[in-house]
Structures are given as structure tokens and as C-alpha cells.
């Protein structure tokens, strides 16, 4: 079988990222940078990133020696080289110093002050590498009474107010609920990647305020999650009241929710004034389009309790497939409620290339989520699968100038 051609260089090709982060927010950020072409070196403690053990499900052998790895780890660690390093030992700190001296980006999520206690305070990093962009991810930011508290996605979803607007209303037996993925971590990782890219552009702009210089970036899970509240936060600011939970309904648009059908459910999103009369005709309820009580979206928001039963009764009369066909023909945004397996198998997801397969030297064939953005001239790419623990340690140390006998001594002392 002919080998696949090497992918074209991505826009970040030639940049080196040192990933000292663990779990999700930081690794997701660095994976995005890796997908865009950067070389990412994942520095893990001797026991490995905690998510290697967050299974099942697992890949790899089931032996008790740690050979197996959780699917969770695979989700955010492709396009990375693996270095196992004990930063509690002086030799480990010295290795990291060599890495950072020639790096473009450092990403870490140590407890506030933890990285400085290893000997990498901002003054030291500046002296070591003035061009380094340093992203520090924390739970609550680097200052204030909560700075020293650990940041966990679930707790942040609760503290940020996100859970208060997620789930069914109390009247329907609901209560505050978390989002189905660790969304605080994911948003923090995305905003971290955005800010890193901005700092790199600023460093390269000769006419900018920081030509040739790196800078520190702080991203907190709490701040990122509060920012993600967008219209719900603005609703609270303007009204002076905390928004409540509406289940699958929208606080500012009606109808924009799910409805039970004769054999399942359907999601509809009537997001413009032109779509409302088309929906009424598609439902066989033309009089609704002329009903002044529901003429504008604002009217429908105010009278959703009057309108919804009429719509719900109509949707319940036919199957999901029937309604999807009728609403698609009327150009009403709608969709089925897929599970995750169904979603990735859908024709739309297949067309987008959102499932990729790679052969892993230790774990066999693995499937992963594809890259959601396409750059025409400098495409993003998935070049390597997630590394086993310490997979590239010897090669990385050799590149840093360590001789074979030095590497052997470091291994004997369990520094690497």
C-alpha cells in the first residue's frame, strides 16, 4: 500500500510549544496549536497525565503495568511528542530550562505560584527567553482570595451561574445541571489558543507594542465561563434579574426548542421574522401566521405559554421524519436529536471529515474527532496520534544535547 503523502505545513509550522499542562483546558489549547502545525512537546510527570487513568473506555493492553490508556487522554493529545520528566528533581528542572530556552510558547496549569516555585517565575523566564509566550491557566485567576483554589470544570460550571440556566425548570421537576461535556475547560482552552496566537502576532509585528518580545497570558476557567454566558449575562445586566432554566427553550426567541413527535422528537429554530409564517404553513396552521398575539418574536416570547401547546399538539401528530421533510421543504431550520454515534455517522459530519482514523504503534487503529476548521493555503492536519507516556524522551533529550550515557544516567535516577 502506498504511503500517504505528508501533509502540507500548517500556519504554525516551525513554532515550538512546551505543554506542561494536564487534564483538559491546557492540553486542548496545545492540541489546537499542534493541529495548526506547531511542534508540541508534552511534558508529563512520572505517573503521566491524570487523564491517562480516566477510563473506561480504554485503549491498549489491560495489564496492570499502566500499558492501557483512557480514551479521555486520546481526545486532546494528538500531534504531540511525549517527554516523561520529574520536575521535583533538579535534573528535571534543568531539562525543562533547556526546552524553554528555545521555545516559542509555554502552556501550564499549575496551581497559582506553583510554576514559580519550580524556579520559573516571570523574571527568570524573561531572562531565559525574552521571546517566550507564557500561558498560565488557573481556576480563578492569579490574584484575589480564590487564587490558590484548584479549578475543576464541574465546580466552575456551578459557581459561574452556568448550571443555573441549564436543565429543566423547577416546575417540570428539573434542577441546575452541568453541560454534557467539560465546557468550562473547553472554552478556556479555546480562549487560551486565541490569546496565544494574538501574542505571537504581536511578537512578530515590528510596528506593534511588543516587537520581538513574548508576554505572560492568564486565562481562568471562571473568567472564560462567565464570558461564555454572552446573551444570558447581558439579559441579567439589562433586566436586573437572574435568568431561569427553560430546558431546551430559548430565553429570547420563540419557537426555538424541541418538540415531541409521534415517534421521537425534533429541534426547530425559528430565528427570523420571515420564517414564522413559513412554519405556520408547513404545520398546516395558517391562521397562526395572522394571529396578532404572535405577530413578532417579542410577542411570541411574552406569550410562549399560550403558543407552545398549540405547536406541541401539532408536532405530536406526525413522525420525526415526516416533520423533517416538511420543514426542510419550507426552509425552516430543524434537525433530529442524534446521539453521538449517530451524529458522527450523519452525512453532514461525514462530508466535513469529522471522523479520522490513525494507526497507533502501541494501541492499534484509533478513531478521533476531525479538525473543524479548514485553511485553504496552510491546512491544519493530524500528523501523529497521541503519544504513549515518555514515548519521545530519548529523542528529545538528544536534540537538547544530552549524550547517550547522560540519558542512561537520567533514566537510572528516574528523572525521565
Amino acid at each position: 500500500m502506498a504511503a500517504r503523502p505528508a501533509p502540507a505545513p500548517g500556519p504554525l509550522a516551525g513554532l515550538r510549544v512546551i505543554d506542561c499542562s494536564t487534564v483538559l483546558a491546557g492540553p486542548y489549547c496545545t492540541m489546537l496549536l499542534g493541529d495548526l502545525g506547531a511542534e508540541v512537546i508534552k511534558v508529563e510527570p512520572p505517573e503521566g497525565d491524570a487523564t491517562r487513568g480516566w477510563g473506561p473506555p480504554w485503549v491498549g493492553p489491560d495489564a496492570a503495568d499502566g500499558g492501557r490508556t483512557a480514551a479521555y487522554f486520546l481526545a486532546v493529545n494528538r500531534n504531540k511528542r511525549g517527554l516523561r520528566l520529574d520536575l521535583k528533581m533538579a535534573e528535571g528542572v534543568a531539562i525543562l530550562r533547556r526546552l524553554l530556552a528555545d521555545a516559542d510558547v509555554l502552556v501550564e496549569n499549575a496551581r497559582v505560584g506553583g510554576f514559580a516555585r519550580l524556579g520559573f517565575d516571570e523574571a527568570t523566564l524573561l531572562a531565559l527567553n525574552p521571546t517566550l509566550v507564557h500561558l498560565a491557566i488557573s481556576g480563578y485567576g492569579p490574584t484575589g482570595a480564590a487564587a490558590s483554589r484548584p479549578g475543576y470544570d464541574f465546580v466552575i460550571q456551578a459557581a459561574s451561574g452556568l448550571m443555573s440556566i441549564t436543565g429543566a425548570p423547577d416546575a417540570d421537576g428539573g434542577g441546575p445541571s452541568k453541560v454534557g461535556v467539560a465546557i468550562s475547560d473547553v472554552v478556556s482552552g479555546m480562549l487560551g489558543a486565541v490569546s496565544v496566537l494574538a501574542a505571537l502576532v504581536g511578537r512578530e509585528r515590528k510596528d506593534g507594542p511588543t516587537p520581538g518580545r513574548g508576554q505572560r497570558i492568564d486565562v481562568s476557567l471562571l473568567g472564560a465561563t462567565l464570558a461564555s454566558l454572552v446573551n444570558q449575562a447581558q439579559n441579567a445586566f439589562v433586566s436586573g434579574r437572574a435568568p431561569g432554566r427553560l430546558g431546551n427553550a430559548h430565553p429570547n426567541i420563540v419557537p426555538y426548542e424541541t418538540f415531541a413527535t409521534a415517534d421521537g422528537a425534533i429541534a426547530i429554530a425559528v430565528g427570523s421574522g420571515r420564517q414564522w409564517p413559513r412554519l405556520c404553513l408547513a404545520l398546516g396552521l395558517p391562521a397562526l401566521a395572522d394571529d396578532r398575539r404572535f405577530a413578532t418574536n417579542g410577542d411570541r416570547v411574552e406569550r410562549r405559554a399560550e403558543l407552545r401547546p398549540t405547536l406541541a399538539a401539532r408536532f405530536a401528530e406526525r413522525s420525526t421524519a415526516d416533520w423533517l421533510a416538511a420543514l426542510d421543504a419550507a426552509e425552516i431550520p430543524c434537525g433530529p436529536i442524534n446521539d453521538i454515534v449517530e451524529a458522527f455517522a450523519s452525512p453532514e459530519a461525514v462530508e466535513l471529515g469529522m471522523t479520522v482514523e490513525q494507526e497507533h504503534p502501541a494501541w492499534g487503529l484509533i478513531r478521533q474527532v476531525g479538525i473543524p476548521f479548514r485553511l485553504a493555503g496552510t491546512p491544519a492536519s493530524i500528523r501523529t496520534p497521541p503519544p504513549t507516556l515518555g514515548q519521545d524522551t530519548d529523542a528529545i533529550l538528544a536534540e537538547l544535547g544530552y549524550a547517550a550515557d547522560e540519558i542512561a544516567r537520567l533514566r537510572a535516577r528516574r528523572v525521565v
Side-chain angles (χ1 to χ4, degrees):
M1 182 181 295
R4 293 182 179 179
L12 301 185
L15 294 177
R16 172 172 279 193
V17 177
I18 307 303
D19 180 7
C20 291
S21 67
T22 59
V23 186
L24 183 51
Y28 187 62
C29 168
T30 54
M31 184 184 74
L32 292 174
L33 301 176
D35 288 352
L36 290 167
E39 177 197 10
V40 180
I41 296 177
K42 183 173 180 67
V43 179
E44 295 185 67
E47 68 276 14
D49 189 314
T51 59
R52 288 186 182 273
W54 287 6
W58 307 96
V59 296
D62 290 331
D65 63 0
R68 66 182 186 175
T69 296
Y72 200 117
F73 177 84
L74 270 62
V76 289
N77 285 292
R78 66 185 178 217
N79 284 334
K80 299 179 185 181
R81 304 171 73 195
L83 171 64
R84 188 177 189 175
L85 190 61
D86 190 346
L87 292 176
K88 295 178 181 178
M89 304 183 72
E91 297 99 321
V93 172
I95 292 170
L96 184 56
R97 285 183 61 88
R98 289 200 196 185
L99 277 173
L100 295 178
D102 193 37
D104 295 283
V105 178
L106 161 66
V107 178
E108 50 93 0
N109 64 341
R111 293 274 287 271
V112 171
F115 215 66
R117 286 191 291 274
L118 291 174
F120 297 105
D121 57 86
E122 291 309 305
T124 299
L125 290 174
L126 179 63
L128 180 66
N129 183 351
T131 67
L132 183 68
V133 173
H134 173 199
L135 170 62
I137 300 175
S138 62
Y140 300 87
T143 60
S148 63
R149 289 161 58 185
Y152 284 84
D153 176 275
F154 179 61
V155 175
I156 296 296
Q157 286 196 41
S160 67
L162 179 58
M163 285 177 62
S164 77
I165 57 171
T166 305
D170 290 336
D172 294 341
S177 302
K178 70 178 182 68
V179 179
V181 296
I183 196 67
S184 294
D185 277 333
V186 171
V187 171
S188 298
M190 288 182 176
L191 294 178
V194 170
S195 57
V196 164
L197 295 174
L200 289 171
V201 170
R203 187 184 73 178
E204 300 305 313
R205 283 185 55 187
K206 292 183 171 50
D207 60 343
T210 59
R213 301 201 307 275
Q215 58 184 293
R216 178 184 171 109
I217 303 165
D218 281 287
V219 171
S220 70
L221 271 63
L222 178 61
T225 309
L226 290 171
S228 75
L229 296 177
V230 288
N231 62 298
Q232 288 283 43
Q234 199 64 50
N235 289 345
F237 292 158
V238 172
S239 70
R241 298 187 303 272
R245 294 185 307 282
L246 295 171
N248 289 324
H250 195 288
N252 302 108
I253 310 172
V254 172
Y256 201 103
E257 58 175 299
T258 57
F259 289 91
T261 65
D263 62 352
I266 190 172
I268 68 165
V270 177
S272 76
R274 292 191 299 264
Q275 292 170 353
W276 169 243
R278 295 207 304 268
L279 172 69
C280 296
L281 291 175
L283 292 176
L285 299 171
L288 269 185
D290 298 322
D291 193 324
R292 294 179 62 83
R293 294 175 300 165
F294 312 123
T296 68
N297 178 68
D299 295 330
R300 295 190 292 275
V301 171
E302 291 178 353
R303 297 182 177 88
R304 74 169 77 224
E306 299 175 49
L307 175 61
R308 194 185 191 284
T310 300
L311 299 178
R314 188 70 180 102
F315 276 112
E317 295 175 4
R318 295 171 61 183
S319 70
T320 298
D322 283 349
W323 284 124
L324 288 174
L327 297 180
D328 276 340
E331 298 185 345
I332 302 299
C334 63
I337 302 176
N338 291 328
D339 63 30
I340 290 178
V341 172
E342 291 169 335
F344 278 95
S346 70
E348 298 83 1
V350 172
E351 176 65 24
L352 291 171
M354 288 308 297
T355 302
V356 295
E357 293 184 346
Q358 282 192 306
E359 188 68 33
H360 195 285
W363 303 326
L365 187 68
I366 59 174
R367 301 173 72 213
Q368 290 198 287
V369 178
I371 297 174
F373 38 78
R374 295 183 179 181
L375 287 76
T378 53
S381 63
I382 300 175
R383 301 174 301 285
T384 59
T388 56
L389 181 56
Q391 171 182 294
D392 304 291
T393 295
D394 287 6
I396 292 169
L397 292 177
E399 292 166 10
L400 292 175
Y402 288 89
D405 60 334
E406 293 177 294
I407 296 173
R409 284 196 296 272
L410 289 169
R411 284 198 174 278
R413 287 179 45 76
R414 303 187 68 82
V415 178
V416 299

